Structures are given as C-alpha cells and as structure tokens.
Amino acid sequence: MQRAKTIELHSREIKPLDNGKRKNVYTNGSDDNYPERVELIINNSVTAKMAVNKMVSFVAGNGFVDKGLNSKILNKTKGLTGYDILMLIANSLVKQKGVYIHANFNGLMDANYLDVLPYKYCRKQKSDDLNNNGKIFYSDEWSKSTFSFSQKNKDSKWFYPFTSNKKVLIAQFKKEGVTIDTTKDSHNFRGQVSFLNLEPENIYPLSFIDPAYNDADSEYHSSIHRNNTIRNGFTDKQIIIAKEGSKEEPNQVEDVIVDMMGSDGSNVGLIEVSSSAEDIAKELHVISLGSNIKAERYKYFDTINQTKILQCYENIPESLVLGSDGGLIGDGGVKMKELKLNYSQDVAYIRMSIQQQLKKILPNENWEIEPLVTEEKKEVENV
C-alpha cells in the first residue's frame, strides 16, 4: 500500500492553469494531488481512521426516515441503494469535506441514476464570464506533470455541472447527439455532477484533518519507530568488534550475531574485524551507542497527536472513538448517551447539507436523515 509523505499544506495552491490542454482547470494543491495525500494520511493514522469511521456513522445516522428509500435501487448498473449512496456521500464529506454526486436522466428529464465519484479524481473547471459553473473533469493522473487533459479526446472523462433547468439539460442532450425518447429509461448521456462543498467560500474545501495533518503523520511515524524497535529485539544500536578470520579458519561470529539480532534477524549493528587481537578477551567486544527514546515520550506525544486529530473532527469525544473512559459506563451509560446526543447535534449541519443537495437532484423523494441519537430516544432510554 502506498504511504503518505509529509508536504507543508499551508502553501497549498488552488488556481486555474492558464495554458495547455488543462487550461482553466483548477489545481487542487501545489502538486495537484491534495485529496490523495489527505486520503493516505488518514489511512496511515489509527486515530484519524477511527475518527472518520465514527463520524461517518453519526452523519449517516440510521439512514433515511423513508425506509423504502434506504433499499430503493438508485443505480441499476452498480446495484446501489439509497443507503449505499448516503454512506458514500458521508464518507467523502468526512474525509474531504466535499463530494461529487453523478446524476443521469430519463427521457422525461428526471434523474433516474445516482453515483458518487471518487473525490480525488475530480477537478473543477473555471466558471465562464457569466459566472456559470464549469465542467467537472475526471482522471486518476492529475499529479503527473506530463498529464494532458483533452475534452476532444473520446477517452477523456468529464461531466456537465448539475442544473435543475430542463431547457439546459435538453440542450446538453442535443449537443451530445442523444435522441430524447420519453419511452426509454436511460440514454447514452454523460450526465451531470453536483458538487457539495462544506466550505463554499473556497473553490475546494480543506479537509477536516488538514490542521492536524502533521500530527497524523507523527502518529504514523511513531508507529514505525515502535515497530522497528520490536523487530530489532528492543536493542540499542551496537558496534561489534570481532577477530578477523583467515582463509583456512574463517571467523563465523558475523553470521551468528546477525542471526541473533532482532525478532526476525534484523541487522542493527555494525560488525568489524580486527587482526590485532592478542587474547580471548579481545576476540569480541561490544560497544552500545545507547538511545534517548523513552516510553514516557512515546506516551506524551501520542496523547497530543490523538487530541489534535480528534479535535479536527468537530471535537469528537475521545470515548466515542477510543472507548477508553470506563467512568462513562458506571452511571448506567447516561453520560455516554449525552455525549452521543451532543455529537449527533454537532454534525447535524452535514446531514442537512446532504438532504438539501439530494433534494435538488430528486425533489420528489423524502431525503430526511434519521439521526443516530435523538432527544426523544434518550429520554425513553433514561426512563
């Protein structure tokens, strides 16, 4: 699995290119790869990964209030139900603070197909002079400096921005050479994409993990250091001096020592030989280089990293993610229920944003999301 690398995010650039085939397409980061780096750093951090999973569960709640919508097939090609679409949307929003919803239409110009595009593969085109939204371009090669995106290339993938204006949709059908047939449920149309941005003041949103990007990276590297320590048999680095062997009588000490080092024979020492050894006491000499890594330091920095990461996800309580506070259970779970209710309310704005966005695409459905915990349920549980 590819691992993330640390790049200073504060210098992230979002600007439209002014030349070449990618002209007027907004880059997402100085390397045009910000979303992928965010995804990698989340996957590398235990705390971030757990916080994302827990936050997604609170955003998606118990699914839609309309239970029939949860099981309704909204994407026949992939067999995706309403609940599947909700979970995909929630995952994208919690990881990236943005989501691209792909819609297609029947002959009556009504949306009859929904999908969620991988956020890291999408880029926005600059708005035109009339401030109309630009197209959405799709590729998995944005970070390659040699990559050229051509709208004229039939293999290039792009979509129209979503609009509820049926006259515009009809014009797009005609431009694509798609015959409008009201008797057919689907057409060979590329479709439209609705972009939900939880930071609408920015062209692309900054992810929730952005302020603690380095903390998540530190947690990952702390894990690597602990792993290396265990693999090396919990030993400090050593300099081992052994007597030099001869062609007739080779010294086997090097092979033996390497086999002994670490839980899997990892070589953590420098082995040298000396031809001047005069007695057995000088046949083998070990010098320890020592280490300044202490368990207390691990604990101190791990605690700070965890706190910073959890704060990024709308200050999600540690006990909801790590489940480490036994004191919240001793009162019959009252405090835990209170924490869940409060956090459910903290992310209610995300549920509302999802509902409003889906309502624009399919206005005849009831997109209300049932919270995971409600005041009424809490009161009943406490009786």
Side-chain angles (χ1 to χ4, degrees):
M1 178 180 177
Q2 186 181 4
R3 291 297 183 181
K5 61 180 180 180
T6 301
I7 297 178
E8 197 69 40
L9 296 193
H10 302 293
S11 60
R12 187 170 74 108
E13 297 178 317
I14 299 177
K15 61 181 182 180
L17 299 178
D18 54 10
N19 55 57
K21 292 183 178 180
R22 290 168 66 179
K23 183 178 181 180
N24 293 329
V25 178
Y26 285 105
T27 60
N28 199 342
S30 57
D31 57 353
D32 206 4
N33 208 26
Y34 174 81
E36 187 167 85
R37 286 190 279 111
V38 164
E39 187 175 293
L40 289 171
I41 206 68
I42 290 173
N43 288 334
N44 289 342
S45 165
V46 174
T47 305
K49 184 73 172 179
M50 292 177 67
V52 164
N53 291 341
K54 184 60 66 173
M55 187 174 178
V56 167
S57 71
F58 275 88
V59 170
N62 293 316
F64 298 111
V65 172
D66 180 356
K67 299 307 177 184
L69 185 55
N70 286 326
S71 56
K72 183 177 180 178
I73 299 295
L74 299 180
N75 185 321
K76 294 179 180 178
T77 303
K78 297 182 179 180
L80 299 177
T81 64
Y83 185 76
D84 293 331
I85 295 294
L86 175 59
M87 288 300 295
L88 289 170
I89 292 174
N91 264 285
S92 183
L93 288 175
V94 172
K95 288 179 179 178
Q96 304 284 358
K97 264 193 187 175
V99 63
Y100 294 91
I101 305 172
H102 181 211
N104 221 320
F105 306 83
N106 58 25
L108 298 175
M109 303 293 111
D110 294 323
N112 67 338
Y113 167 102
L114 290 183
D115 198 4
V116 175
L117 303 178
Y119 184 89
K120 61 185 177 182
Y121 295 155
C122 299
R123 296 294 183 273
K124 291 180 63 179
Q125 183 184 41
K126 184 180 179 182
S127 300
D128 62 22
D129 294 336
L130 298 177
N131 205 31
N132 295 312
N133 290 327
K135 299 179 178 71
I136 303 297
F137 297 94
Y138 184 97
S139 174
D140 60 356
E141 300 184 87
W142 295 112
S143 61
K144 297 180 181 179
S145 58
T146 57
F147 172 64
S148 293
F149 192 101
S150 173
Q151 295 184 51
K152 296 180 180 180
N153 187 333
K154 64 179 182 179
D155 294 326
S156 295
K157 203 170 183 179
W158 60 271
F159 306 94
Y160 293 104
F162 177 78
T163 176
S164 58
N165 189 325
K166 291 192 175 182
K167 291 183 178 179
V168 173
L169 182 58
I170 291 173
Q172 292 172 351
F173 266 61
K174 292 180 178 179
K175 187 175 181 179
E176 295 288 314
V178 178
T179 302
I180 300 176
D181 187 345
T182 57
T183 64
K184 291 186 177 180
D185 195 41
S186 61
H187 299 81
N188 188 26
F189 178 57
R190 69 177 69 246
Q192 298 180 346
V193 167
S194 176
F195 177 44
L196 173 55
N197 181 354
L198 293 183
E199 289 186 351
E201 68 276 14
N202 295 325
I203 295 169
Y204 297 119
L206 290 168
S207 67
F208 282 104
I209 195 63
D210 188 89
Y213 183 97
N214 290 330
D215 300 280
D217 185 62
S218 296
E219 184 178 69
Y220 163 60
H221 283 287
S222 176
S223 175
I224 289 179
H225 194 280
R226 282 194 296 269
N227 178 256
N228 287 337
T229 300
I230 294 171
R231 288 167 61 88
N232 293 334
F234 298 93
T235 61
D236 296 332
K237 292 189 179 296
Q238 314 285 331
I239 295 179
I240 301 175
I241 303 174
K243 181 179 179 180
E244 183 180 29
S246 63
K247 293 182 179 179
E248 297 77 14
E249 193 175 345
N251 193 335
Q252 303 297 322
V253 69
E254 178 175 347
D255 293 336
V256 173
I257 291 174
V258 170
D259 288 340
M260 292 174 61
M261 285 184 169
S263 60
D264 62 353
S266 303
N267 187 357
V268 295
L270 169 65
I271 298 178
E272 295 185 352
V273 293
S274 172
S275 59
S276 62
E278 298 177 356
D279 54 56
I280 193 64
K282 296 181 181 179
E283 291 282 338
L284 185 66
H285 188 62
V286 180
I287 301 175
S288 177
L289 299 181
S291 171
N292 63 351
I293 301 299
K294 306 298 181 183
E296 293 77 11
R297 291 189 180 183
Y298 273 125
K299 184 176 180 180
Y300 173 74
F301 286 115
D302 284 350
T303 300
I304 290 179
N305 292 334
Q306 285 180 357
T307 300
K308 295 289 186 182
I309 293 168
L310 295 177
Q311 287 174 336
C312 287
Y313 292 98
E314 299 298 2
N315 203 23
I316 186 169
E318 178 182 335
S319 55
L320 293 184
V321 178
L322 306 179
S324 57
D325 193 348
L328 293 175
I329 302 176
D331 62 353
V334 175
K335 291 181 180 178
M336 177 63 78
K337 292 170 186 175
E338 194 71 35
L339 284 178
K340 289 181 178 179
L341 174 62
N342 291 339
Y343 190 68
S344 180
Q345 293 172 342
D346 288 341
V347 299
Y349 76 96
I350 302 179
R351 289 196 296 271
M352 181 61 70
S353 297
I354 295 173
Q355 292 168 191
Q356 292 177 344
Q357 199 75 4
L358 290 173
K359 194 72 174 178
K360 294 176 183 178
I361 303 173
L362 285 166
N364 296 325
E365 300 286 359
N366 177 16
W367 296 106
E368 182 182 356
I369 301 170
E370 180 183 351
L372 199 61
V373 182
T374 62
E375 187 70 35
E376 292 74 17
K377 284 187 177 182
K378 183 178 79 70
E379 290 176 355
V380 171
E381 289 170 347
N382 290 340
V383 173

